[in-house]
Amino acid sequence: MTRLQRVAVLGSTGSIGESTLDVIARHPERLRVFALSAHSRMERLAEQACASSAPVVVVPDRAARQRFIDAWPAGRTPPEIRVGAQALADTAADTQCDTVMAAIVGAAGLPAALAAAQAGKRVLLANKEALVAAGGLFMRAVREHGAELLPIDSEHNAIFQCLPRGDRAHVPSEPARGVRRLLLTASGGPFRRVDPVDLHDVTPAQACAHPNWTMGRKISVDSATMLNKGLEVIEAHWLFAMPADRIEVLIHPQSVVHSLVEYEDGSVLAQLGQPDMRTPISYGLGFPERISSGVGPLDLARCGKLEFETPNMERFPCLQLAFDALRAGQAACVTLNAANEVAVEAFLAGRLRYTWIPRVITAALEWQQRQSSVTLDSLADVLALDAAARRYAGNLGLA
Ligand code: NAD
Ligand code: MG
């Protein structure tokens, strides 16, 4: 008989959070919600907690706590309401939970994701920014505390599925034997064919209109600039212990082949499927078994053509910046991510032009290079650099 897994969904009101709850609801015999967390939209959080009978919810502050209580239906016993960032990390490490879905957006999700790893949980990692900001620290915590790490980002989940494996999600300290390269696919986003001169006046709505995936607004903008793929290159480096020069990005507009692994003998294994995050999410929740996700069959004949092309780094400067940051080291990666978060937030708020996103990141990386070198051995070190990089990017008069 399968053991019941109690799951904490961090960032439950987001796109990944909603898809995770959809999969959990399909498997009441093996999956149960232990806790849900959200930063805003307390009404939605209350609906989710009601529907999933979550025993615990985590909200950011007392005002949010009150909004949650106001939204709670009369006559039903409310869940335990925990408040604040420390409560979030404590919940991720709670002995009453087995699995943590890390689906908060941005480096804000790092402390709780790290706490889950340090508590030896099964960590389903969607929050790629956590790994970009603190890859070394995070992977060490996973190893030292016997946590299980399952990548949820569709490309990394695809690669994980195509690598040789046993029944446990081992964290490698060197590239898997016989593997030559990892090939990450990217849709190219909504502006793949747009003339670069026309990008100047792009609106948030245009940038968020992804051709194949429905996602949160931040990752949608990142997909348009392809900084998302850059973050994923850094993520793949940490997850699979792969050097930057053995990770390649391929534009594949149809988003059917989710990524590929090339072996020394010339074999290339790929994972295919519909662009629906419930596939990688259910893979993570069910691992090592396969469980249903609600995703229908892939009709390849209807897809017709699968195309691939090499990305043009001049069109997508953010992708080049991420490769450069990975080669430069951890401090550059923290800075890249922080500056991007500030720039994307400013763009979404109408305060920054789309074409300035790479400029803000470039300026922040140059600022970081001028600083004396810092050690990044602890969460506090990483958060201090993250905050300084945000201040710098914000002070550019753009945010
Ligand atoms: P989203 O914006 O839809 O949801 C984000 C969630 O995080 C919400 O529940 C929000 O309340 C919470 N949150 C936001 N800021 C917070 C903060 N400061 N503290 C605590 N909680 C906070 O985002 P998403 O699209 O679901 O993406 C979540 C993560 O998954 C991101 O790291 C993204 O890169 C990654 N990811 C998403 C997809 C996708 O298809 N959406 C695919 C691959 C990876
Ligand atoms: Mg992805």
Side-chain angles (χ1 to χ4, degrees), residues 11-17 37-40 88 103-106 108 126-129 153-154 214-217 219 277:
S12 65
T13 54
S15 160
I16 293 287
S37 93
H39 200 62
S40 55
L88 190 65
I104 288 171
V105 61
N127 180 206
K128 65 191 86 186
E129 296 91 346
D153 213 348
S154 58
T214 315
M215 310 180 285
R217 280 158 68 79
I219 184 177
M277 289 305 292

Side-chain angles (χ1 to χ4, degrees), residues 138-160:
F138 191 85
M139 297 309 278
R140 201 165 62 232
V142 170
R143 263 184 226 110
E144 285 176 2
H145 300 278
E148 242 185 325
L149 184 59
L150 287 147
I152 298 303
D153 213 348
S154 58
E155 297 75 6
H156 307 75
N157 190 269
I159 289 170
F160 186 84

